[in-house]
Amino acid sequence: GIAMTLLLQFVQVISIICPGGPIQIAAGVVFGMWLGYAVCEMGYLAANVLVFLTARRLGSRMDRIFPVEGGSKKFRFISDSKHPAFMVFMGCILPFMPNGIVPYVAARTNIKTGPFALAVLVGSTPTFIMLCAIGNRLLKGDFVIVAIIVAVFVAAVVLLVVKRDAAVAFAEKLRERLSKKSDK
């Protein structure tokens, strides 16, 4: 079951259009919140990094398979951003967006593999934990808790979207402080 869930999560990213939510909810039902999260995260992160590295290596040849340049604005939210790592994070945290496009688009930016992987991990973690918790709580019949989890998560995402400029500024200050400490 674990191998199949990991494979489903992996294929979900590569396919771009398959929704991941049902996979994560099912993982929460079958494995519980924490193991379900870990399995989904491993498959998701591995697939994102593989697609990112492959798309970057293919370069302009990738446009024949997945044209992004000059395409719709929704495909350029990362490449047009001053802060592509933050937009990767946003692309992964928003559960209603087809986040399978994230590695394809991010490969066309100057973001390095490490920051890309970290942004994917940090961005997908809240969504995956929430969806696995929902699956686990649905199995137990805790519908009120499910509603509370969803409401808190939606409120947090809306707040993050509304205050994204402040979040980027905070991240930049934090990065500056950490780089100053490491220089000492």
Side-chain angles (χ1 to χ4, degrees), residues 167-179:
V168 169
F170 173 76
E172 286 178 348
K173 286 180 185 178
L174 184 61
R175 184 174 4 153
E176 286 176 21
R177 285 184 185 167
L178 292 174
S179 67

Side-chain angles (χ1 to χ4, degrees), residues 34-67:
W34 294 112
L35 180 57
Y37 158 73
V39 171
C40 290
E41 190 67 68
M42 285 188 295
Y44 186 79
L45 186 58
N48 268 279
V49 171
L50 177 69
V51 168
F52 176 81
L53 292 172
T54 302
R56 180 156 285 170
R57 184 172 181 136
L58 289 174
S60 62
R61 292 177 288 173
M62 191 69 193
D63 287 334
R64 285 181 257 160
I65 301 167
F66 186 73

Side-chain angles (χ1 to χ4, degrees), residues 97-163:
M97 190 188 114
N99 50 27
I101 65 168
V102 169
Y104 292 98
V105 177
R108 293 183 167 98
T109 69
N110 62 354
I111 189 172
K112 295 189 180 342
T113 306
F116 169 77
L118 182 61
V120 168
L121 175 68
V122 173
S124 62
T125 294
T127 303
F128 286 9
I129 288 175
M130 179 208 53
L131 290 170
C132 289
I134 286 172
N136 186 254
R137 289 294 161 190
L138 283 174
L139 181 66
K140 295 176 181 179
D142 295 337
F143 303 113
V144 172
I145 292 176
V146 168
I148 291 169
I149 292 170
V150 171
V152 168
F153 182 76
V154 168
V157 169
V158 167
L159 182 64
L160 184 61
V161 169
V162 169
K163 297 290 187 180

Side-chain angles (χ1 to χ4, degrees), residues 2-106:
I2 289 174
M4 289 304 297
T5 304
L6 196 135
L7 180 63
L8 279 171
Q9 189 63 67
F10 192 90
V11 169
Q12 180 267 324
V13 172
I14 293 172
S15 73
I16 301 172
I17 58 170
C18 292
I23 297 167
Q24 291 124 28
I25 291 171
V29 168
V30 175
F31 306 118
M33 184 178 83
W34 294 112
L35 180 57
Y37 158 73
V39 171
C40 290
E41 190 67 68
M42 285 188 295
Y44 186 79
L45 186 58
N48 268 279
V49 171
L50 177 69
V51 168
F52 176 81
L53 292 172
T54 302
R56 180 156 285 170
R57 184 172 181 136
L58 289 174
S60 62
R61 292 177 288 173
M62 191 69 193
D63 287 334
R64 285 181 257 160
I65 301 167
F66 186 73
V68 174
E69 301 302 322
S72 134
K73 180 113 174 119
K74 70 180 177 181
F75 292 136
R76 296 180 299 179
F77 69 101
I78 296 171
S79 58
D80 288 353
S81 174
K82 181 180 172 189
H83 304 284
F86 183 75
M87 295 313 291
V88 166
F89 164 81
M90 291 294 288
C92 292
I93 201 168
L94 300 174
F96 53 82
M97 190 188 114
N99 50 27
I101 65 168
V102 169
Y104 292 98
V105 177

